[in-house]
Amino acid sequence: MHDPRLTPARPDLAAKHLEGKVSAARFVDGEELEVIEAIAPLRRAPSPDAELMTQALKGERVTVYDQSGEGWAWGQLESDGYVGWLPDTTLGRPAAASTHQVTALSTLAFPGPSIKLPPALALPMAAKVSIAREDGAFSVTREGHYLPRTHLAPLNAKAADFVAVAERFVGTPYLWGGKSSLGIDCSGLVQLSLNAAGIAALRDSDMQQASLGQPLDPAGWVRLKRGDLLFWNGHVAIARDDTTIVHANAHHMATVIEATDKAIARIKAAGNELVTVKRL
């Protein structure tokens, strides 16, 4: 059974590389495009009212297999394989290869080497840019945007502690499908934080539960270590230590630090028991 979230296949159309593996009326090669907006919504259907499944960030490559003719493109993200519909206007032909990533929660791009100029755009953590040169305190992109050098790092840079990355999002509003400091969900927080530390992670909590780490014996759930991942049905949290977690959640409508035992009890009272704990 193919997961439709990760398989570019529909009854009417599928990726060429899936021919012989799935049923579809026709198979196409697809076209590689790049996200040119700061944040691009990936939706379940080609409509602005459709469910936000995830977000693609600037510099992300996308293989597009279909276009609606009404402003939407159906494709698969290169980074985590997620499939869905993105607005045509958020995509463009790939230019120069990205060289750097944003490591600040968000940063501003200026049209010149001065913070007094009105910013041209804001970029979220993990957005990718191509740097052409340095100019004092700024890195200059090939599009001519000036970004603070301290907010960038080479693509291969890795954060020492993914939990510390997650903690920086405390106070960020909860957004189903969100992946930035403007709004983030539980699995988006885990994915972004792990990716910042060089650890690949799939997008949704059930995918993460199935693919990350090793399960702890339930007897060990009371002896959590920093970086352990706690899973409920449809939810994931990160242990900060043996008594607290950090997680984006709809109860607080924000990313918060919470006492682990109180969170487990509160979520259980709402009808959702802790399923497993995974150690990376």
Side-chain angles (χ1 to χ4, degrees):
M1 185 70 177
H2 297 283
D3 189 333
R5 296 170 296 177
L6 300 174
T7 309
R10 310 185 318 229
D12 63 319
L13 181 146
K16 185 73 172 178
H17 66 85
L18 294 174
E19 194 165 5
K21 301 176 182 177
V22 301
S23 297
R26 62 190 179 99
F27 295 85
V28 298
D29 287 321
E31 178 185 13
E32 185 178 73
L33 298 178
E34 183 175 289
V35 175
I36 57 175
E37 296 293 330
I39 301 173
L42 187 145
R43 299 192 181 277
R44 184 178 296 276
S47 167
D49 297 328
E51 178 188 347
L52 178 66
M53 300 180 73
T54 187
Q55 293 175 320
L57 309 180
K58 181 174 172 60
E60 170 91 60
R61 296 295 173 95
V62 184
T63 302
V64 171
Y65 296 101
D66 188 26
Q67 293 183 305
S68 70
E70 298 180 345
W72 293 88
W74 183 74
Q76 183 171 37
L77 304 185
E78 180 182 75
S79 63
D80 60 17
Y82 221 103
V83 175
W85 293 90
L86 299 109
D88 279 345
T89 54
T90 65
L91 301 173
R93 296 192 180 279
S98 298
T99 61
H100 289 69
Q101 60 183 319
V102 176
T103 53
L105 280 182
S106 62
T107 191
L108 298 175
F110 299 93
S114 172
I115 60 172
K116 295 181 180 180
L117 294 171
L121 76 162
L123 294 176
M125 178 185 285
K128 297 179 177 65
V129 294
S130 178
I131 298 301
R133 60 188 176 88
E134 308 294 337
D135 187 342
F138 296 93
S139 294
V140 187
T141 70
R142 295 188 186 278
E143 300 100 328
H145 292 140
Y146 288 70
L147 299 168
R149 291 176 63 180
T150 55
H151 288 180
L152 301 174
L155 289 182
N156 61 358
K158 298 178 182 178
D161 178 8
F162 86 90
V163 184
V165 177
E167 290 168 337
R168 292 168 59 193
F169 282 88
V170 168
T172 296
Y174 180 84
L175 174 65
W176 180 274
K179 270 182 62 172
S180 82
S181 61
L182 294 176
I184 200 165
D185 65 14
C186 64
S187 54
L189 180 68
V190 170
Q191 185 187 51
L192 267 181
S193 303
L194 286 173
N195 287 352
I199 303 170
L202 293 173
R203 177 59 177 89
D204 293 343
S205 62
D206 64 319
M207 301 174 182
Q208 294 167 358
Q209 180 182 333
S211 61
L212 292 173
Q214 297 297 320
L216 295 184
D217 186 283
W221 292 1
V222 295
R223 296 186 295 277
L224 298 177
K225 292 184 178 180
R226 186 173 179 86
D228 287 346
L229 300 176
L230 292 76
F231 289 96
W232 294 259
N233 288 324
H235 186 60
V236 60
I238 305 168
R240 297 175 64 245
D241 49 38
D242 60 349
T243 60
T244 61
I245 56 174
V246 57
H247 61 150
N249 66 93
H251 176 78
H252 296 95
M253 285 305 295
T255 298
V256 299
I257 292 171
E258 189 173 6
T260 307
D261 57 352
K262 291 182 179 179
I264 291 173
R266 173 176 59 76
I267 297 171
K268 182 177 181 179
N272 197 358
E273 293 204 38
L274 184 65
V275 175
T276 190
V277 177
K278 304 291 287 289
R279 181 160 292 168
L280 301 179

